[in-house]
Amino acid sequence: QLQLAESGGGLVQPGGSLRLSCAASGFNLDNYAIGWFRQAPGKEREGVSCISRSGTRFNYGDSVKGRFTISRDNAKVYLEMNTLKPEDTGVYYCAAERTTNWFLCPSTVHSGLEYWGKGTLVTVSS
């Protein structure tokens, strides 16, 4: 079965840090550009960050620039989240887009995102 799985979410105080991971089963992440998205209660899913197949191109949403860092290795994609704020609370999803473009960075929700994980909950609260 082909699927993505996120891990690393949890409850953290404002100013704290978390590291999310995204792993694939049944397929090779090397062929995919990866995006991280989040959805807060009552809001639409929004793009947080993305990374290309090459790992050399990445983008960040304005609200997380300077605080979040995306990276990847042969097996997983990571989202390092620092200086967390209550408004970062939400379910975080990773999604994969198969592409031959080594520099494609899927920063918005669209039909080309072939696989989605079930999400991991991040709660930032004191």
Side-chain angles (χ1 to χ4, degrees), residues 24-115:
S25 59
F27 66 100
N28 190 340
L29 271 183
D30 286 349
N31 298 320
Y32 292 80
I34 304 296
W36 279 100
F37 302 85
R38 69 185 180 189
Q39 189 164 19
K43 294 187 177 181
E44 293 187 354
R45 194 169 298 187
E46 64 172 353
V48 174
S49 183
C50 61
I51 189 166
S52 62
R53 277 186 67 185
S54 66
T56 59
R57 185 183 176 193
F58 28 79
N59 286 324
Y60 299 94
D62 288 341
S63 63
V64 306
K65 282 180 181 176
R67 301 188 296 120
F68 289 13
T69 303
I70 193 170
S71 61
R72 66 187 300 166
D73 60 24
N74 290 338
K76 295 183 180 180
V77 176
Y78 307 93
L79 187 67
E80 185 77 33
M81 307 188 296
N82 298 312
T83 320
L84 283 161
K85 304 175 181 180
E87 50 263 44
D88 294 319
T89 294
V91 179
Y92 283 69
Y93 302 88
C94 62
E97 179 169 357
R98 187 179 181 97
T99 180
T100 57
N101 183 341
W102 283 93
F103 304 103
L104 175 72
C105 198
S107 59
T108 59
V109 177
H110 60 275
S111 60
L113 291 161
E114 187 174 349
Y115 299 106

